[in-house]
């Protein structure tokens, strides 16, 4: 015979699981890497502002999940009656209240990180609410989701950059555009996850993911210039125009660690070595054809195997189960993608820490739906 205490405990567990399903715990694990990758592309170590941005990102993403189910409650009653709202485990009013509270918490955390971070978070929150309430069923829906992910990364970059630094770094915009392209493609596939039948979305997403993986492993233009000797000035010194653009090279990451660069103190010693020995330190810079370090190839491989194989299967047979599997895998593939962006930006420790979230997301995805 069960006592009242055991019944109360069982009820709490059921309500807790309902909220875990509503907020998509496995999908929440794909969020911290946005801000961490944004911090990496600034060339700085994660700061207090970075972790405030992580908290803001998680809060705003969770708000979007709650708002999504509130907005879709009638559709879910028909197509997904097992979800928390149509099944009656969570009241619609409670889900809407949670969305509002989580949005407020996310904006408060972002504002603590700085004025610019707060402004980016406000744009992100507006994009999330616009997507859930207006844009989801329109042609603007997938780009809106891509924009949200891009803003999430830029929020991490804004929170980490030193005060008074100029506008967005080109490499931050490039990394944000990469996340946006992946997210837009996966969101396009998700529009047919309950009915299936379309091969266009999976094929497009497959091509996008393949292009992203290839671009992450490709030598940077700066590496090519160094291999041609264009990265050095006429006297053998560093040519700022050739050395200062784009994300740090993966080859530089391997040899120099997190965000390392030539300091003003180290440069004269290197230049003296160059004059004393034409085959000095600068002449030993790796060529553009050298292999990428393991801290980059590991997450890129994980990204390709996580995202591309399910998309290939969905393209061959666009049934609802295979399409849903491809969407879930595409969401989880954001973790190794964020890790790869951090590694390519010269932050191997951040890259590996982010990649460690991938097995957790995969584990919880077996218990709670990602979509």
């Amino acid at each position: 015979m069960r006592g009242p205490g055991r019944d109360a405990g069982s009820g709490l567990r059921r309500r807790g699981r309902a909220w875990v399903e509503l907020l998509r715990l496995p999908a929440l694990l794909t969020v911290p890497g946005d801000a961490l990758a944004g911090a990496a592309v600034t060339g700085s170590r994660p700061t207090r502002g970075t972790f405030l941005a992580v908290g803001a990102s998680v809060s705003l993403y969770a708000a979007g999940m709650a708002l999504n189910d509130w907005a879709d409650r009638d559709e879910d009653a028909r197509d997904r009656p097992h979800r928390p709202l149509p099944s009656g485990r969570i009241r619609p009013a409670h889900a809407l209240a949670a969305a509002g509270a989580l949005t407020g918490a996310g904006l408060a955390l972002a504002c603590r990180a700085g004025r610019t971070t707060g402004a980016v978070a406000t744009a992100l929150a507006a994009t999330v609410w616009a997507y859930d309430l207006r844009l989801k069923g329109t042609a603007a829906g997938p780009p809106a989701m891509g924009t949200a992910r891009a803003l999430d990364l830029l929020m991490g970059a804004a929170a980490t950059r030193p005060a008074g630094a100029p506008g967005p770094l080109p490499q931050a915009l490039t990394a944000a555009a990469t996340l946006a392209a992946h997210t837009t493609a996966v969101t396009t596939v998700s529009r047919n996850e309950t009915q299936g039948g379309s091969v266009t979305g999976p094929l497009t997403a497959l091509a996008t993911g393949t292009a992203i993986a290839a671009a992450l492993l490709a030598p940077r233009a700066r590496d090519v210039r160094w291999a041609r000797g264009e990265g050095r000035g006429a006297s053998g010194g560093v040519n700022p125009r050739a050395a200062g653009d784009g994300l740090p090279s993966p080859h530089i990451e391997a040899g120099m660690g997190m965000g390392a660069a030539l300091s003003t103190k180290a440069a004269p010693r290197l230049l003296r070595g160059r004059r004393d020995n034409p085959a000095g330190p600068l002449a030993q810079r790796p060529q553009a054809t050298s292999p990428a370090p393991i801290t980059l190839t590991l997450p890129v491989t994980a990204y390709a195997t996580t995202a591309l194989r399910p998309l290939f299967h969905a393209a061959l047979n666009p049934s609802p189960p295979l399409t849903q599997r491809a969407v879930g895998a595409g969401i989880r593939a954001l973790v190794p993608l964020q890790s790869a962006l951090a590694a390519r930006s010269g932050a191997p420790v951040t890259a590996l820490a982010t990649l460690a979230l991938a097995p957790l997301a995969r584990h919880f995805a077996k218990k709670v739906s990602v979509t």
Side-chain angles (χ1 to χ4, degrees), residues 259-286:
L262 291 175
S263 69
T264 55
K265 294 182 179 179
R269 291 196 297 271
L270 288 174
L271 295 180
R272 284 197 300 272
R274 175 70 181 177
R275 287 193 295 267
D276 296 339
N277 178 14
L282 288 177
Q284 300 302 317
R285 185 174 291 271

Side-chain angles (χ1 to χ4, degrees), residues 142-165:
M145 280 294 287
T147 300
R149 279 286 179 175
L151 289 170
D152 210 22
L153 184 144
L154 292 174
M155 182 166 64
T160 308
R161 296 196 71 193

Side-chain angles (χ1 to χ4, degrees), residues 77-187:
R78 180 182 66 253
D79 296 332
R80 306 178 187 89
H82 59 280
R83 281 191 168 178
L85 268 62
S87 66
R89 289 177 291 156
I90 295 178
R91 295 179 181 176
H94 292 172
L96 182 60
L102 287 165
T103 299
L107 292 175
L109 288 170
C111 289
R112 290 284 301 275
R115 187 180 305 173
T116 302
T117 309
V120 177
T122 301
L124 173 57
T127 303
V128 169
W129 280 72
Y131 172 81
D132 283 332
L133 299 180
R134 290 283 183 181
L135 302 178
K136 186 186 307 178
T138 71
M145 280 294 287
T147 300
R149 279 286 179 175
L151 289 170
D152 210 22
L153 184 144
L154 292 174
M155 182 166 64
T160 308
R161 296 196 71 193
L169 290 170
Q171 54 264 43
L173 295 176
T174 301
T178 303
L179 274 185
H182 173 86
T183 304
T184 300
V186 173
T187 306

Side-chain angles (χ1 to χ4, degrees), residues 29-322:
L29 293 172
T30 72
V31 178
D34 288 343
L36 292 175
V41 299
T42 68
S44 303
R45 295 177 183 272
T47 63
R48 173 179 174 272
T50 306
F51 294 107
L52 285 171
V54 168
S57 297
V58 172
S59 296
L60 293 174
Y61 191 94
M65 292 296 98
L67 184 63
N68 174 81
D69 278 23
W70 179 84
D72 288 352
R73 60 193 184 280
D74 294 332
E75 177 184 335
D76 287 345
R78 180 182 66 253
D79 296 332
R80 306 178 187 89
H82 59 280
R83 281 191 168 178
L85 268 62
S87 66
R89 289 177 291 156
I90 295 178
R91 295 179 181 176
H94 292 172
L96 182 60
L102 287 165
T103 299
L107 292 175
L109 288 170
C111 289
R112 290 284 301 275
R115 187 180 305 173
T116 302
T117 309
V120 177
T122 301
L124 173 57
T127 303
V128 169
W129 280 72
Y131 172 81
D132 283 332
L133 299 180
R134 290 283 183 181
L135 302 178
K136 186 186 307 178
T138 71
M145 280 294 287
T147 300
R149 279 286 179 175
L151 289 170
D152 210 22
L153 184 144
L154 292 174
M155 182 166 64
T160 308
R161 296 196 71 193
L169 290 170
Q171 54 264 43
L173 295 176
T174 301
T178 303
L179 274 185
H182 173 86
T183 304
T184 300
V186 173
T187 306
T188 301
V189 177
S190 72
R191 295 162 78 93
N192 295 301
E193 64 178 330
T194 57
Q195 293 85 19
S198 173
V199 300
T200 303
L203 282 175
T204 303
L206 183 62
T208 301
T210 302
I212 288 173
L216 287 169
L217 291 175
R220 297 202 60 79
R222 185 172 66 181
D223 295 325
V224 176
R225 288 195 292 272
W226 272 98
R228 294 172 178 170
E230 297 171 16
R232 296 182 287 274
S235 61
V238 178
N239 183 342
R241 295 186 64 182
D245 62 334
L247 292 173
S249 158
H251 319 308
I252 297 174
E253 299 165 19
M256 302 180 70
M258 281 188 63
L262 291 175
S263 69
T264 55
K265 294 182 179 179
R269 291 196 297 271
L270 288 174
L271 295 180
R272 284 197 300 272
R274 175 70 181 177
R275 287 193 295 267
D276 296 339
N277 178 14
L282 288 177
Q284 300 302 317
R285 185 174 291 271
Q287 299 298 301
T289 55
S290 62
I294 187 64
T295 52
L296 178 61
T297 57
L298 182 63
V300 173
T301 301
Y303 168 73
T305 55
T306 301
L308 302 187
R309 184 168 55 183
L311 285 169
F312 179 72
H313 292 160
L316 291 177
N317 177 16
S319 62
L322 290 181

